[in-house]
Amino acid sequence: GTSNLRKCPHCGLVWAKVSGCDGETTCGNIDGHLDVRSSDFSQLATFRFNWADRRLEINKLGFKTVSRVRSSRKGVGCGKRIN
């Protein structure tokens, strides 16, 4: 919801607080942690969506397991420290 939105006081960038950031952080910092409370939450269902005769059909296809992807991407913020 909107209670998870934050605005950088330096550059004005609005971003979502996904996890952490309870103390000091850096504007544009990318969270590298999975938000998985237990292995029960580490699977996502996959679906196919199709319009047929003005009706939306939704078919469950299977599952994908969540895994951590290492990335060298940098965030888009200004890089300044935020309290």
Side-chain angles (χ1 to χ4, degrees):
T2 58
S3 64
N4 291 335
L5 297 178
R6 302 290 188 267
K7 184 175 182 178
C8 176
H10 306 288
C11 70
L13 179 72
V14 177
W15 46 275
K17 176 184 169 190
V18 179
S19 65
C21 298
D22 292 328
E24 190 173 82
T25 188
T26 303
C27 178
N29 191 32
I30 296 175
D31 184 13
H33 296 91
L34 285 176
D35 186 17
V36 177
R37 291 162 277 279
S38 76
S39 62
D40 295 338
F41 296 99
S42 65
Q43 284 192 337
L44 303 174
T46 58
F47 297 89
R48 179 178 53 229
F49 300 90
N50 187 44
W51 284 102
D53 297 322
R54 303 182 83 185
R55 286 189 45 206
L56 177 62
E57 294 178 349
I58 304 172
N59 299 309
K60 188 185 244 183
L61 300 177
F63 295 92
K64 287 186 177 181
T65 301
V66 175
S67 62
R68 182 178 181 173
V69 176
R70 297 205 181 265
S71 174
S72 60
R73 290 184 335 172
K74 293 199 175 222
V76 295
C78 66
K80 292 184 179 178
R81 303 298 292 171
I82 303 169
N83 290 343

